Amino acid sequence: MKRCIVCDKEFDGVSRDVCSWKCDENRRAVLRKKLDDAVKNDKSHTKKMAKSD
Ligand SMILES: [Zn+2]
């Protein structure tokens, strides 16, 4: 048994980290959001740098 990294449910699976395609979508959405946030933070950081210049 493995544990789904998204919903924490136990499931039968070998190569997957998630229990269903729904959780797979969810994980992708979370990853994408993290990436977006990182880009946003990066941009605001750059803006601050430019302002103080
Ligand atoms: Zn799941």
Side-chain angles (χ1 to χ4, degrees):
M1 288 292 258
K2 284 181 80 172
R3 199 176 280 270
C4 176
I5 60 167
V6 176
C7 68
D8 226 31
K9 200 168 79 180
E10 287 191 332
F11 69 101
D12 286 314
V14 254
S15 56
R16 294 185 308 163
D17 291 325
V18 291
C19 67
S20 68
W21 66 268
K22 270 192 175 181
C23 281
D24 195 37
E25 292 263 297
N26 236 313
R27 185 184 53 168
R28 265 180 243 200
V30 168
L31 282 177
R32 211 163 23 222
K33 198 176 175 303
K34 272 187 192 170
L35 210 68
D36 277 357
D37 285 350
V39 171
K40 262 182 222 158
N41 287 338
D42 206 25
K43 269 185 191 161
S44 62
H45 184 65
T46 312
K47 217 186 246 176
K48 263 182 210 163
M49 294 276 281
K51 250 184 199 172
S52 66
D53 192 33

